[in-house]
Amino acid sequence: MAEIIVVTSGKGGVGKTTTSASLACGLARRGHKVAIIDFDVGLRNLDLIMGCERRVVYDFVNVVNGESSLKQSLIKDKRFENLFVLAASQTRDKDALTLEGVERVLNELAADGFDYIICDSPAGIEKGAYLSMYFADQALVVVNPEVSSVRDSDRILGLLASKTRHAEKGERIKEHLLLTRYSPKRVESGEMLSITDVEEILGLKAIGVIPESSDVLNASNKGEPVILDTESDAAQAYDDAVARLLGDTRPMRFISPEKKGFFSKMFGG
């Protein structure tokens, strides 16, 4: 049975699509069959980060409306044989998706033997976000360590607890916290919330902490999920998060300021 994971947040621009792409690649690299769906109808970005924007012929809305088959619309990743992308439409509005249509697509993916279905949610609480989380078994809540992002994510946690299929059955979906753009130096100087602060406010344990890094933007511009840049701290942090999601125990890295060496202290480096 396919495990459906929604990647969500209350606030835009926190790194949801970057996280969705890296999560999908991390799972595929471990041998799992993965589909990743862009629910952000009208503002499609996932295909750019996955590097397959020129290969989009049919999209998610085409499948929901019966204008194309799922097999016609899924784009096979060039790096992993077991990873497929279903792009969002750039020309429709949010109302183009329906609960019944989304359920049909998810059921067809499950029947095709997919192990994981990653739902890349739009920000906020409108229809696309609701549909992306409704069928989820797990949620990855992406948060920047600053007050407005944390507050908006608290609202999302309320929806996950009340507006999903699991909630209607009296069950809770598994919720995971992922902190992005984390800067230990700024935490130390009081400019940014600490991991502990965010965990206490949201009542969730962090499954991963992604350090602030220019590598993320550089990778996105190249059409390559940052997790594939193995030399990058951000890539290693994402790989750790994927491992923890699968039940492995790994120490949390990149959460303390780098200690200055003797010569740096002497010469102000």
Side-chain angles (χ1 to χ4, degrees):
M1 190 66 187
E3 189 80 359
I4 301 171
I5 303 174
V6 62
V7 179
T8 184
S9 75
K11 193 171 180 287
V14 298
K16 277 187 310 300
T17 301
T18 294
T19 296
S20 297
S22 286
L23 173 60
C25 287
L27 290 168
R29 191 159 61 187
R30 286 167 168 80
H32 300 287
K33 189 177 181 183
V34 183
I36 178 168
I37 306 175
D38 190 348
F39 275 79
D40 202 355
V41 176
L43 293 170
R44 168 172 110 195
N45 280 314
L46 177 64
D47 54 307
L48 286 169
I49 289 179
M50 293 296 292
C52 62
E53 70 278 6
R54 293 181 184 174
R55 297 166 60 206
V56 178
V57 178
Y58 296 110
D59 57 51
F60 190 16
V61 173
N62 292 138
V63 185
V64 166
N65 290 344
E67 297 158 354
S68 65
S69 70
L70 184 59
K71 280 187 169 59
Q72 284 176 295
S73 307
L74 283 173
I75 301 167
K76 191 175 189 177
D77 186 80
K78 290 181 176 178
R79 295 156 295 223
F80 300 101
E81 289 279 315
N82 49 339
L83 176 58
F84 296 81
V85 178
L86 185 54
S89 171
Q90 280 185 307
T91 58
R92 312 289 182 98
D93 62 24
K94 308 289 184 191
D95 294 326
L97 295 178
T98 64
L99 195 66
E100 297 76 15
V102 170
E103 182 174 27
R104 181 167 47 78
V105 171
L106 295 176
N107 287 343
E108 195 173 336
L109 287 168
D112 282 348
F114 281 89
D115 301 310
Y116 290 95
I117 302 168
I118 311 300
C119 301
D120 181 26
S121 171
I125 56 174
E126 43 70 48
K127 187 176 181 182
Y130 164 69
L131 290 173
S132 71
M133 71 172 64
Y134 181 76
F135 297 101
D137 302 304
Q138 299 189 51
L140 204 58
V141 183
V142 183
V143 183
N144 289 162
E146 46 100 8
V147 173
S148 64
S149 176
V150 174
R151 182 187 62 191
D152 290 348
S153 293
D154 203 23
R155 177 79 189 276
I156 293 297
L157 290 174
L159 294 176
L160 289 169
S162 60
K163 297 286 188 181
T164 64
R165 183 166 59 176
H166 279 290
E168 289 172 0
K169 297 177 186 174
E171 303 164 353
R172 288 294 294 262
I173 72 173
K174 292 179 188 173
E175 298 162 346
H176 310 283
L177 171 64
L178 184 86
L179 281 172
T180 53
R181 296 184 183 148
Y182 193 80
S183 169
K185 283 184 180 177
R186 292 178 66 194
V187 171
E188 196 173 51
S189 65
E191 298 172 50
M192 186 177 272
L193 296 172
S194 70
I195 301 165
T196 305
D197 291 334
V198 179
E199 287 179 334
E200 286 179 356
I201 294 167
L202 295 179
L204 280 181
K205 289 294 289 180
I207 197 171
V209 177
I210 313 304
E212 198 165 37
S213 171
S214 60
D215 295 335
V216 175
L217 181 59
N218 293 339
S220 296
N221 288 337
K222 289 191 293 185
E224 185 165 291
V226 70
I227 195 171
L228 302 178
D229 178 8
T230 52
E231 299 301 310
S232 164
D233 288 352
Q236 293 169 41
Y238 268 121
D239 191 67
D240 287 347
V242 173
R244 293 186 196 102
L245 190 74
L246 294 173
D248 291 354
T249 302
R250 290 197 180 181
M252 204 69 82
R253 297 189 279 172
F254 317 115
I255 59 173
S256 302
E258 284 185 25
K259 290 187 170 66
K260 286 187 177 180
F262 174 76
F263 288 106
S264 294
K265 288 177 182 173
M266 284 290 292
F267 299 106

